[in-house]
Amino acid sequence: MKGEKLDTIKNLIRTIPDYPKKGIMFRDITTLLADATGFKKTISGLCEPYVADTVDAVVAIEARGFILGGAVADRLGCSFIPLRKKGKLPYKTFKQEYVLEYNSDTIEIHADAIKQDARIIIIDDLIATGGTAEAAVKLIKLIGGEIIGAAFVIDLAEMGGRQKLESIGVGCNVLVTY
Ligand code: AMP
């Protein structure tokens, strides 16, 4: 995606200092989603690296990942698999704990969500330390998925998440970097 379009996306992201706690610069994508052109460009940018590839499913992370991941799956013509916070999925699940920039949590996936060797892309709004995405990678591999990449709107570069994912063999595509 060209620099001009990426600038449009970056300009629509709102930064809220000291949320949810002091010292965190919260990158708020609600202002981007509220702009029809910005939202469309974002979905195009997330899909672009994979349009010529075979993608069987998008795995997206609750909650902001769902907004983007659903649209990406529709655009790529593949299925959508939710990774949810603990206790939200009704059927048998596998769980993975992870540490965030400002708390820790557990995500779950339905035990039968992924067909063996299905080609998966991971979608979320932002990668910081990479802890959440790494937990997603572990769950997807555990139930037999083949991860062909991960895409994020925002990379908080100094948090090192992208390198962490790439060091475990997952290529990342990001639209804007802070
Ligand atoms: P991490 O696991 O550290 O890569 O954190 C990524 C997850 O935490 C994403 O799902 C983000 O939505 C959220 N997150 C972490 N840091 C921020 C931030 N500074 N602004 C907005 N969301 C964040």
Side-chain angles (χ1 to χ4, degrees), residues 24-27 61 64 98-102 124-133 156:
I24 303 288
M25 297 289 274
F26 192 86
R27 307 298 175 177
I61 302 166
R64 278 163 274 159
Y98 61 101
V99 178
L100 277 169
E101 190 183 354
Y102 44 80
D124 203 1
D125 64 328
L126 177 148
I127 184 161
T129 65
T132 315
L156 302 186

Side-chain angles (χ1 to χ4, degrees), residues 102-177:
Y102 44 80
N103 59 1
S104 78
D105 220 332
T106 301
I107 48 169
E108 296 184 88
I109 193 166
H110 270 151
D112 63 351
I114 293 177
K115 294 194 185 82
Q116 189 65 38
D117 299 326
R119 292 169 61 80
I120 305 290
I121 59 170
I122 298 168
I123 299 284
D124 203 1
D125 64 328
L126 177 148
I127 184 161
T129 65
T132 315
E134 188 185 29
V137 168
K138 286 181 183 163
L139 286 173
I140 293 163
K141 286 186 174 165
L142 180 73
I143 61 169
E146 184 195 338
I147 301 165
I148 58 170
F152 306 88
V153 180
I154 302 162
D155 176 21
L156 302 186
E158 61 187 27
M159 308 290 294
R162 185 176 183 167
Q163 285 94 318
K164 181 188 270 182
L165 274 205
E166 291 187 342
S167 74
I168 57 168
V170 178
C172 295
N173 288 290
V174 300
L175 301 182
V176 303
T177 300

Side-chain angles (χ1 to χ4, degrees), residues 44-105:
S44 299
L46 291 172
C47 289
E48 200 174 82
Y50 311 106
V51 285
D53 214 329
T54 303
V55 179
D56 296 313
V58 166
V59 169
I61 302 166
E62 187 174 5
R64 278 163 274 159
F66 287 0
I67 302 161
L68 303 162
V72 168
D74 180 63
R75 188 82 71 89
L76 293 176
C78 69
S79 64
F80 176 86
I81 299 166
L83 273 179
R84 298 209 63 183
K85 303 278 162 64
K86 199 172 163 184
K88 301 278 188 183
L89 288 170
Y91 185 60
K92 186 182 161 200
T93 63
F94 289 106
K95 304 178 200 331
Q96 183 66 51
E97 269 193 67
Y98 61 101
V99 178
L100 277 169
E101 190 183 354
Y102 44 80
N103 59 1
S104 78
D105 220 332

